[in-house]
Amino acid sequence: MVDFGRELDGAESIHCMEDSPYTDYAEFGGLTDVCIHYTAVDAHQHDYYIKDVTDAVAGSSKEAHEYALKAIKYLQRNSLITVTDIENAEVE
């Protein structure tokens, strides 16, 4: 996977390349303010429910991460959860 979003306008370098040693830490996904945010928007537009595990993801900066979470919560008010929420969820 290669994400060519903000690097086209020169604001960021190429990132999230699967053969890069810098993406090893992100086996659970991508950056909150890039991949996760835009995937959430697409999912919402196709009537999927969104769940973002906020303490298991990170952004390109603290501010970008927080802004992306705020934007995702705006799409669906119950979309932000934590690892504890998952661990405490009752299985039906």
Side-chain angles (χ1 to χ4, degrees):
M1 174 180 116
V2 179
D3 185 351
F4 290 110
R6 305 251 314 138
E7 53 276 356
L8 292 179
D9 64 9
E12 295 179 5
S13 62
I14 296 173
H15 58 279
C16 295
M17 295 181 65
E18 57 187 273
D19 61 346
S20 170
Y22 302 108
T23 58
D24 287 344
Y25 75 94
E27 292 179 18
F28 52 84
L31 297 172
T32 313
D33 53 302
V34 184
C35 306
I36 296 169
H37 178 201
Y38 293 103
T39 299
V41 171
D42 287 342
H44 177 74
Q45 290 177 341
H46 288 92
D47 297 323
Y48 286 94
Y49 291 107
I50 303 165
K51 294 297 179 196
D52 186 344
V53 186
T54 59
D55 54 348
V57 294
S60 59
S61 71
K62 182 178 180 182
E63 295 79 20
H65 173 71
E66 291 172 359
Y67 179 78
L69 293 178
K70 183 177 179 179
I72 292 167
K73 184 176 181 179
Y74 176 78
L75 291 173
Q76 294 183 9
R77 65 177 180 216
N78 297 321
S79 60
L80 304 183
I81 62 173
T82 65
V83 170
T84 302
D85 294 331
I86 294 170
E87 292 173 342
N88 292 334
E90 292 185 27
V91 179
E92 295 180 16

